């Protein structure tokens, strides 16, 4: 049997992309109440255009301040799981910039860092046990057994999964899930290989 996967989104899970973007543009962070810029009634057309331009610029990913504990996600592999980062990018330039630092920051092999261009078709990941993302649509589409997310202004309406209020809390819940899964596997004889 293949190792089960723990998959993390990068932006707004491992670091505060929208916190940084709103600070740069002088937009109140709490106004980002919708994952889709077009559906957000609190933003002006100018603010929507400014945010979109910033999301398309690799400079937004320069000098990232990672949430506490995020650079240690590879440590979860010691429990017999395989850790992945699966992150969407608005442009090839953003994807290439993320690729330039992601492997070194997280200590993961490049094939465990999947960077998608938002406009291109994505291949669904299989055998995912735990999925951590901030986007309501990604949580809804995921077939992972456990879905976790950090509380954000744009995901207040999510009714499924496990809401967390900090990355350390999210990691504690992941470790608890791993412990419970380990008990289940020990009782059933199912083992990750």
């Amino acid at each position: 049997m293949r190792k089960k996967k723990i998959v993390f989104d990068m932006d707004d899970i491992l670091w505060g992309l929208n916190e940084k973007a709103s600070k740069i543009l002088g937009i109140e962070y709490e106004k980002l109440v919708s994952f889709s810029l077009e559906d957000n009634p609190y933003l002006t057309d100018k603010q929507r255009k400014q945010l979109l331009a910033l999301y398309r610029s690799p400079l937004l990913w320069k000098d990232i301040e990672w949430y506490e504990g995020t650079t240690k996600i590879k440590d979860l592999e010691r429990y017999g799981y395989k850790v992945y980062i699966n992150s969407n990018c608005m442009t090839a330039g953003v994807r290439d910039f993320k690729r330039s630092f992601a492997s070194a920051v997280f200590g993961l092999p490049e094939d465990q860092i999947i960077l998608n261009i938002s406009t291109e078709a994505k291949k669904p990941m299989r055998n995912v046990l735990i999925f951590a993302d901030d986007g309501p649509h990604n949580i809804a589409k995921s077939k992972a057994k456990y879905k976790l997310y950090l509380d954000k202004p744009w995901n207040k309406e999510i009714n499924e999964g496990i809401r967390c209020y900090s990355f350390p809390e999210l990691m504690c819940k992941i470790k608890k899930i791993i412990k419970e899964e380990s008990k289940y596997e020990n009782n059933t004889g199912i083992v990750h290989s």
Side-chain angles (χ1 to χ4, degrees), residues 26-41:
I27 298 170
E28 289 177 49
Y29 175 66
E30 293 302 320
K31 284 187 172 182
L32 303 179
V33 297
S34 174
F35 196 81
S36 167
L37 292 177
E38 291 82 31
D39 295 336
N40 190 326

Side-chain angles (χ1 to χ4, degrees), residues 144-162:
K145 183 174 180 181
Y146 301 97
K147 304 172 191 183
L148 295 90
Y149 54 96
L150 290 180
D151 184 64
K152 301 291 179 182
W154 54 89
N155 65 25
K156 299 290 187 197
E157 303 300 319
I158 295 178
N159 293 321
E160 63 180 299
I162 302 167

Side-chain angles (χ1 to χ4, degrees), residues 31-154:
K31 284 187 172 182
L32 303 179
V33 297
S34 174
F35 196 81
S36 167
L37 292 177
E38 291 82 31
D39 295 336
N40 190 326
Y42 300 111
L43 297 176
T44 66
D45 286 339
K46 181 181 177 184
Q47 289 171 327
R48 287 185 189 99
K49 288 176 186 171
Q50 289 174 320
L51 279 166
L52 192 56
L54 199 52
Y55 296 152
R56 291 179 172 159
S57 171
L59 296 178
L60 183 56
W61 283 265
K62 189 175 180 186
D63 303 321
I64 289 175
E65 292 181 25
W66 302 103
Y67 291 147
E68 178 187 344
T70 58
T71 59
K72 305 286 185 198
I73 59 174
K74 185 180 184 338
D75 293 351
L76 294 170
E77 291 192 340
R78 70 179 179 203
Y79 299 106
Y81 296 85
K82 206 165 181 180
V83 173
Y84 285 81
I85 292 173
N86 189 350
S87 186
N88 290 331
C89 310
M90 292 288 290
T91 65
V94 169
R95 179 199 58 207
D96 296 344
F97 191 76
K98 282 183 176 182
R99 192 175 309 285
S100 75
F101 64 76
S103 186
V105 167
F106 299 103
L108 294 169
E110 286 190 21
D111 67 332
Q112 287 174 234
I113 300 171
I114 301 163
L115 302 173
N116 307 298
I117 304 231
S118 299
T119 56
E120 296 176 357
K122 295 157 201 60
K123 189 175 174 183
M125 293 188 76
R126 292 188 166 84
N127 210 28
V128 177
L129 179 70
I130 301 170
F131 179 64
D133 198 294
D134 63 295
H137 61 287
N138 290 332
I139 294 290
K141 287 190 308 188
S142 173
K143 298 199 185 303
K145 183 174 180 181
Y146 301 97
K147 304 172 191 183
L148 295 90
Y149 54 96
L150 290 180
D151 184 64
K152 301 291 179 182
W154 54 89

